[in-house]
Amino acid sequence: MLTHDAALDWIARWDRQQEGYLPDREERFTALIDAVEALDRPDPLVIDLGCGPGSLSARLLSRLPKARVISVDADPLLLGLGRAAYPHLTFVAADLRTPGWTDALGLDRPADAAVSTTALHWISPPDLRSMFAELATALRPGGLLLNGDHLDAGDATPTLARLERAVHDKQTERTFAGDQPEDWRTWWDAVEADPAMAALNAARTTAGADHHGSESHLLSQHTDALREAGFSEIGTLWQRGNNRLLCAVR
């Protein structure tokens, strides 16, 4: 059985392996939560898209304890970790790629913000367009999408794309100096080998929560989909190489 302390340990290990890809992860979290706080609402309603085990949601509530955060993901194992570690958070099982996913959120008013980190690049461009269109119906006018992710400049600006990746790679080299944390696959292999995680692993095999590579890694794929969904102002609030915080206003 998965205990509270074991879940916290697994999430700490998750956070560490994520930092291997994102040496500025905490700085990006801070910038994202700064933007939510700048909405100047005493009790903002926030949707965490592709929340994983709740790393962002927990940090957001720590900074903004009066906020209401609804954390949504399709992966039963990551949701199980989050529920065991953070019983004060609200986790919802829903696949952002499936139309009608907002129905599961139980919203009693339009959300002030939707946030996400290192999740939406897994979604294919067609599914991304439909997801953003549905998200727009769940946000209030003036509400924000805040998406922290690796988003490449793309083929239209090849020199910028190369430089963005170089800046990110050099920062990673400086930060870890040969002491790289475990990678994503190693973390998942360890989880799959833990008997306490057997039930969650079994649920995961039938949930359709698997990934098929970085399907929407271009900045233009996200900005175009957001414009098509009716978002107005779209721009980058924070950036280090191709690691950026994209903001869109409903």
Side-chain angles (χ1 to χ4, degrees):
M1 177 181 178
L2 179 63
T3 66
H4 172 73
D5 288 344
L8 286 173
D9 288 344
W10 275 116
I11 292 174
R13 189 168 165 179
W14 166 272
D15 286 344
R16 177 64 177 162
Q17 64 91 3
Q18 288 285 291
E19 287 170 359
Y21 302 97
L22 294 159
D24 304 305
R25 186 172 184 251
E26 293 297 334
E27 184 179 335
R28 193 177 70 183
F29 277 145
T30 298
L32 188 155
I33 299 169
D34 284 346
V36 175
E37 189 173 29
L39 287 170
D40 202 24
R41 298 239 167 176
D43 56 347
L45 175 56
V46 182
I47 307 167
D48 186 356
L49 305 168
C51 64
S55 297
L56 171 58
S57 296
R59 285 164 174 78
L60 202 154
L61 274 181
S62 180
R63 275 267 307 274
L64 305 173
K66 293 183 179 180
R68 178 183 167 201
V69 182
I70 300 172
S71 310
V72 57
D73 204 288
D75 193 314
L77 189 144
L78 296 178
L79 290 172
L81 282 176
R83 286 168 176 149
Y86 307 122
H88 60 293
L89 292 180
T90 301
F91 288 95
V92 173
D95 192 332
L96 300 175
R97 300 168 295 186
T98 302
W101 61 270
T102 54
D103 295 339
L105 303 182
L107 299 179
D108 54 9
R109 64 179 175 90
D112 299 295
V115 300
S116 187
T117 57
T118 324
L120 302 186
H121 69 268
W122 294 110
I123 301 177
S124 71
D127 287 337
L128 193 70
R129 290 193 295 273
S130 62
M131 188 276 289
F132 281 147
E134 185 163 347
L135 175 64
T137 69
L139 288 173
R140 66 169 175 83
L144 303 180
L145 168 72
L146 296 160
N147 179 26
D149 213 335
H150 286 112
L151 298 174
D152 294 326
D155 295 339
T157 52
T159 302
L160 282 178
R162 180 181 62 80
L163 290 173
E164 285 183 353
R165 286 182 172 268
V167 166
H168 174 269
D169 292 345
K170 288 183 180 296
Q171 176 66 9
T172 302
E173 292 168 9
R174 281 193 298 270
T175 299
F176 298 108
D179 186 24
Q180 188 79 10
E182 69 179 332
D183 62 18
W184 188 86
R185 185 67 265 166
T186 301
W187 187 90
W188 279 106
D189 288 345
V191 166
E192 290 168 5
D194 184 349
M197 304 291 283
L200 290 174
N201 273 311
R204 190 171 194 268
T205 61
T206 59
D210 54 325
H211 299 145
H212 302 287
S214 185
E215 300 194 50
S216 297
H217 66 96
L218 296 178
L219 176 62
S220 61
Q221 291 171 319
H222 290 253
T223 56
D224 290 350
L226 286 163
R227 289 193 184 94
E228 184 178 315
F231 287 81
S232 55
E233 302 173 46
I234 303 168
T236 298
L237 291 184
W238 175 96
Q239 182 175 358
R240 178 70 60 83
N242 65 342
N243 174 21
R244 69 185 82 227
L245 175 60
L246 183 66
C247 178
V249 182
R250 173 71 177 93

